[in-house]
Every structure is written in structure tokens, then in C-alpha cells.
Amino acid sequence: MAILLHNAILATMSDGYGLSQDAIVIDGDQIAWMGGLTDLPATYARAERHDLAGRLVTPALIDCHSHIVFAGDRAAEFEMRLNGASYEEVARAGGGILSTVSATRAASEAALLANALTRADQMIAGGVATLEIKSGYGLTVADEMKLLRVAREVGRQRPLSVRVTHLAAHAIAPEYTGRAGAYIDEVAIPSLQAAQAEGLVDAVDAFCEGIAFSPAQVERVFLAAQALGLPVKLHAEQLSDLKGAVLAARFKALSADHIEYMGVDGVAALARSGSVAVILPGAFYTLRETQIPPIAALRAAGVPMAVATDCNPGSAPMTSLTLAMNMACTLFRMTPLEALQGTTLHAARALGLHDRGQIAAGQRADLAIWHAQHPAELSYRIGATPLHTRIFGGRFDA
Ligand code: NIG
Ligand code: FE
């Protein structure tokens, strides 16, 4: 039976917030109709009615950048950094990503899944319905495959659309210290090919940075992705400007992510390629970074900006996407409208999805009903969980 939602404030996200007081009809897993209640088509007269008591409804949130499949934690490293060590110093001393790699390799697939599901559940409780999950803490062909399988499984076990991203080019595995090129040839590319053969990959990412891979090495991964028909994205300009965004744009990347140190050339390249700039204020906050991403230049160039948690054990141990929205506003002076576009409309584009991110007839019926009346409230509250109810594919959460 169709479902009718009425007496709600809708933020449709078409043309700004697209605020309206219309009713919505959900039929199956899609939004079938939207309009004034008095114009309800006769076919939906018997739909199951839900009075939302004036609450705000937005598209369900989309977290387009996360690393939730890992074991262990990095609280000790948090302490080291507070005692003065930098993120790069910790990484170069064998800590950082590599300490999570050891814990993750030692963990069973079942344990990794249980951990990832806990994080996914927190995201669902925060209003997320589409989540991107990256590999990148395995760094052998077998371990990367293990992480990718776990990521896929999260989407089977929960009411959540999961997009899986291959990120073997996240760090140089300890067995390959000083031999990043060999790691690309022997692990990053072969694991991508093997994972793609098993349908485990939706997109390909890499970490382009002094402590990770050079643009030339990333390019080889991107060429392999291109040969497999997979879209790419990139951790670019997080700690320095290696021109990763320019490279990503050349490959028509879905997105360039982090980009604190990106220059005007990167902004222009993203504007030309139509790639999304993914803003990750949680990592900026945790690392006590001071270089702010070029928000004003991105805005002026019309580059769509998404906002994501980057949930990971090192630089962003956070699962709250509304907290990331708050940080994007407070730390980067994004507007609450940009923050919400960044977790709906533009986040969908960062994943190459066009069937979600707005409230409109024909879109997937993924909706969030909030304890709020105005969308700016979602960015304004700090650390709150303002979700009232979530609807995933036309079904209310139990
Ligand atoms: O997006 N920059 C690289 N990758 C993660 C950090 C991963 C980690 O520290 O474990 C990020 O910030
Ligand atoms: Fe990341």
C-alpha cells in the first residue's frame, strides 16, 4: 500500500533548501507524488496516512567518504599527538595507518563485520541511508578482498545502501617500505582486478601524499581503474599540494577529498571536470590542522561541495554526519544550506548517484524526519542526534 506523509516541512533540496509544506506519496521504494494535500490524486486516496506534526523532512543523509572497516583503535596515538607529535611523524614512526593495518590483518572477517556494523548502526541512527565504505587497512591482496567483502556485507545486513570503494593505495604496506612502486604493481592493481572480478568494487580511491603515493603512482592505479570501467576519486592535498586534484580531474574523478592545501589550479580543474569537492572537517579538527580548504574559491567556481565524516580510527574517529555539518559551518564558514546540500544532493553526485539526494517524484524514498522545523538546525546543534524517524527505500525503520 502507498504511504502518504503530510503536515510536514519539506526541504526538497531542489533550488536551495526548496522549502515547501507539501505532502508526499511513497509507492514501493520511490517517491510517487508530491504536492498540496487538496490536490492528492484519487489513486492515493486510500494511502496509509502519517501526520508528521509539522516536523522537518529532508532526503536521508548520504555519507560519501568513510573507512569504517578496521580493527583496534588509535587512542594512544591521539595522546602522542597531544604531546606534540604530528600526524606525519606518527605515521613515519610506523604508527598511524600501519598500526591499524596490523590490528585489521589479525582480525577475523566476522569481527571486522561486527565492528563495522556497530559504526553503520550509529550512522543509521543519525539519519544516513547511503554510505560509502573504503578498504585500505589490509594492504595485501587477500586482506583488501576481506575488507571489501565486509563492506558489501554491511549493506546486506542493514537497511543501508553501501557503495564500496577500493583503497589499497592508502599506505605503503610494511613489506614494501621504500618500494611504493612495487606495492602498486604487486598489491594495489592486482587486488583491484581480483575484487572487480568478484563484483566488490564501485569506485577506486588512492591517498596522494608525501607519506603515501606520488601522483605518478596514483595515475597507474587510475589507469587500471579506467581499464576496468570504474570511476575514481582521490584523497588529495590533505597535508601538502601535490596537485592530486588536477590529476583526479584529468580522470573525470567523482570527487577530490580533503583538499585543504589545494591551489587555484585544483579549483579550476575540478570546475572543468564536474568533480565534487568532498570537505572533511572531522579530520581537520582531529589533526588540529590550520590550513582551511579553499571554500570561497570553490563556491565562486561553482564546484559542488559535499561534506562527509571520513570516519576512521586515526584522523576522524566520528560517526555523526550532522556533527561534520556543524564543523563545516563553524570551522570552514560553509553555510548550513551548503552543509545540507553537501550531505544530500552533492554527496549523491560524489558517489555518481542520481536517484537520491532530493525529494522529488521518481527519487528513491530515502527520507529523514527530524526533531526540527528548519534545516539550519541540523548544522547548528553540536553532537545532538536530532533524528525522529528514518525511511529507507519506502519503509519506516522498525
Ligand atoms: O582520510 N588520509 C588518509 N586516510 C584517512 C586517515 C586514515 C587513518 O589515519 O587511519 C583520512 O584521513
Ligand atoms: Fe579518508
Side-chain angles (χ1 to χ4, degrees), residues 65 67 74 87 97 137 170 207 235 238 258 310 312 314-315:
H65 183 138
H67 311 243
R74 304 243 290 276
Y87 184 68
I97 294 175
Y137 292 114
H170 190 201
F207 187 18
H235 282 72
Q238 182 185 10
H258 288 286
D310 194 18
N312 75 70
S315 67

Side-chain angles (χ1 to χ4, degrees), residues 257-284:
D257 303 37
H258 288 286
I259 58 169
E260 278 87 341
Y261 287 83
M262 183 172 73
V264 286
D265 48 355
V267 176
L270 296 181
R272 274 196 303 276
S273 64
S275 308
V276 176
V278 178
I279 306 298
L280 303 168
F284 174 96

Side-chain angles (χ1 to χ4, degrees), residues 189-393:
I189 293 173
S191 66
L192 173 59
Q193 291 162 338
Q196 168 68 353
E198 294 192 18
L200 293 174
V201 189
D202 300 317
V204 179
D205 195 352
F207 187 18
C208 187
E209 194 54 69
I211 54 170
F213 299 95
S214 69
Q217 288 158 349
V218 170
E219 179 163 11
R220 286 167 49 218
V221 175
F222 281 3
L223 287 168
Q226 202 171 51
L228 295 170
L230 288 165
V232 302
K233 56 179 80 181
L234 189 63
H235 282 72
E237 278 77 92
Q238 182 185 10
L239 308 169
S240 61
D241 187 8
L242 297 189
K243 309 296 174 199
V246 172
L247 168 67
R250 215 159 28 81
F251 281 81
K252 297 264 172 285
L254 291 171
S255 65
D257 303 37
H258 288 286
I259 58 169
E260 278 87 341
Y261 287 83
M262 183 172 73
V264 286
D265 48 355
V267 176
L270 296 181
R272 274 196 303 276
S273 64
S275 308
V276 176
V278 178
I279 306 298
L280 303 168
F284 174 96
Y285 167 86
T286 302
L287 302 182
R288 292 184 299 151
E289 179 57 70
T290 52
Q291 174 77 30
I292 290 176
I295 301 295
L298 289 164
R299 189 184 284 137
V303 176
M305 292 182 274
V307 174
T309 59
D310 194 18
C311 178
N312 75 70
S315 67
M318 70 189 286
T319 49
S320 171
L321 191 50
T322 44
L323 179 56
M325 290 163 65
N326 172 270
M327 290 175 170
C329 294
T330 304
L331 300 173
F332 297 160
R333 290 290 175 247
M334 287 177 71
T335 66
L337 169 61
E338 288 170 334
L340 187 57
Q341 287 173 327
T343 54
T344 55
L345 192 62
H346 296 163
R349 301 303 171 268
L351 297 177
L353 299 173
H354 295 269
D355 65 344
R356 65 197 71 189
Q358 290 181 68
I359 301 179
Q363 288 268 293
R364 248 186 85 83
D366 287 351
L367 300 170
I369 303 167
W370 303 97
H371 293 292
Q373 269 77 52
H374 191 278
E377 291 177 58
L378 303 179
S379 294
Y380 148 77
R381 296 212 165 78
I382 301 174
T385 307
L387 186 72
H388 179 272
T389 324
R390 202 190 61 140
I391 298 176
F392 176 75

